[in-house]
Amino acid sequence: RLTQEAMEETEQPAGGLHFIGKKDELIEAKRSFRTVDGRDILIIHHQGVFYAMDCYCYHAGGTLENGDIEEINGKLCIICPKHKYKISLCEGEGLYRGRNPQEEPPVYRWYSKGVKQRTHTVTETNGEIFVKMSSQPGWIDSDYYQGEKGKIERAKA
Ligand code: FES
């Protein structure tokens, strides 16, 4: 039998989760901008799945809000509107097309630059959406634009 206190605990999301909004509203919006813990993030709903990532592109701080989403090399990516960099929605990987100079004739393939954009975890509880901010240690390129610089870029966009 659950005590009143334990019942309340089970209804409360675990620590570190930030309430973002009602699921229905976020689906309707498709893209939602939020500031969580002073960090500007983008919550994306695409083909039935929620994603969250830093709002400003790791390349030069372009806002990703209106970027198209395409599947590239089997990964769903957002295309930064500013210079068309491709960033995977799940991992924040930077993808680029290149070729091995040893290969003749040249064959262009997609390559990964590794994780460049910080992504955050989205969870749902009773029709409400929460985000757990990335705790991945170390520097990720998109961190650079989460200071004043990022906010300036957003104001210009
Ligand atoms: Fe250059 Fe995003 S700012 S591609």
Side-chain angles (χ1 to χ4, degrees), residues 56-64 79-87 117 145 153:
Y56 310 118
C57 174
Y58 74 89
H59 172 227
T63 59
L64 296 174
I79 321 287
C80 176
K82 211 163 173 183
H83 313 101
K84 310 289 179 213
Y85 274 34
K86 284 106 178 122
I87 303 168
Q117 194 79 14
Y145 294 100
E153 285 290 335

Side-chain angles (χ1 to χ4, degrees), residues 51-151:
Y51 305 89
M53 59 168 51
D54 282 356
C55 189
Y56 310 118
C57 174
Y58 74 89
H59 172 227
T63 59
L64 296 174
E65 256 166 307
N66 297 317
D68 291 336
I69 293 174
E70 278 175 28
E71 191 178 316
I72 293 172
N73 219 17
K75 293 182 177 188
L76 283 172
C77 294
I78 191 156
I79 321 287
C80 176
K82 211 163 173 183
H83 313 101
K84 310 289 179 213
Y85 274 34
K86 284 106 178 122
I87 303 168
S88 74
L89 291 178
C90 282
E91 306 93 351
E93 236 182 317
L95 297 182
Y96 71 100
R97 239 164 107 74
R99 72 178 187 96
N100 178 347
Q102 316 289 348
E103 238 172 14
E104 272 309 328
V107 181
Y108 283 86
R109 294 193 179 84
W110 287 102
Y111 291 94
S112 171
K113 302 181 205 175
V115 174
K116 293 291 184 179
Q117 194 79 14
R118 203 175 272 281
T119 55
H120 311 284
T121 309
V122 185
T123 57
E124 186 205 330
T125 307
N126 301 327
E128 295 186 327
I129 299 298
F130 298 83
V131 160
K132 186 172 179 4
M133 298 300 278
S134 157
S135 59
Q136 194 172 324
W139 175 261
I140 294 180
D141 294 49
S142 67
D143 292 346
Y144 184 75
Y145 294 100
Q146 290 294 333
E148 274 311 301
K149 207 160 173 12
K151 322 249 176 210

